[in-house]
Amino acid sequence: MEYNSDIKNIIVIPSHIGIIMDGNGRWAKKRNLPRSSGHVAGASNFKKITRYAAKIGVKHLTMYAFSTENWKRPKAEISALMTLFKVYLEDALQNFLDENIKINFLGDTSAFPNSLQNLIRDVIDVSSKKTGMVLNLAMNYGGRTEISDAVKCIVRD
């Protein structure tokens, strides 16, 4: 067998990476912190991951940030997550959108507070002409809901 030493230096960058943001609450609990601290740490990592993925040439990054099942969490935790989403999107409009990243939202965002829905629309609008990496944020998204919605659509058609 002939060995080509050039092959070992090849790095393959995936064109699409999907990440389920899970375990932030457990991370905080292990450190005797409130669950909301875990969510804040997760959001900080989210920004780092997104910028790094764009930098190395990933074409699509999908982050699963809030599933339909997350509505079953305590109201205080949901409220903290909505506030965190709002803070993140406001920050994105001021700072993050200088990056060449197009942002899409997957899921039913109509369930979110109006202020968050407005921010989502603003982020989509401002980033729509970006030509770099596509960041898909799955918010209020779930497999069961997708299947249910697909069946309803088939029946309607």
Side-chain angles (χ1 to χ4, degrees), residues 37-96:
S37 294
H39 297 307
V40 170
S44 175
N45 285 330
F46 163 80
K47 286 186 204 178
K48 290 175 192 171
I49 291 167
T50 301
R51 285 189 168 120
Y52 185 72
K55 178 181 172 184
I56 64 170
V58 173
K59 303 230 181 301
H60 300 271
L61 175 63
T62 300
M63 301 287 270
Y64 294 86
F66 187 86
S67 75
T68 51
E69 287 77 23
N70 288 149
W71 291 110
K72 296 174 186 168
R73 293 182 177 193
K75 289 187 187 289
E77 185 175 353
I78 292 170
S79 178
L81 284 167
M82 294 301 130
T83 299
L84 185 60
F85 292 151
K86 186 174 184 234
V87 167
Y88 170 77
L89 292 177
E90 287 170 343
D91 177 63
L93 283 172
Q94 293 177 4
N95 302 312
F96 199 68

Side-chain angles (χ1 to χ4, degrees), residues 21-32:
M21 298 179 67
D22 187 34
N24 294 325
R26 289 185 298 278
W27 177 90
K29 186 176 180 182
K30 280 184 180 178
R31 289 157 180 78
N32 294 318

Side-chain angles (χ1 to χ4, degrees), residues 92-109:
L93 283 172
Q94 293 177 4
N95 302 312
F96 199 68
L97 292 180
D98 290 339
E99 317 256 347
N100 189 23
I101 298 172
K102 180 178 181 174
I103 302 175
N104 295 322
F105 289 83
L106 310 175
D108 180 11
T109 58

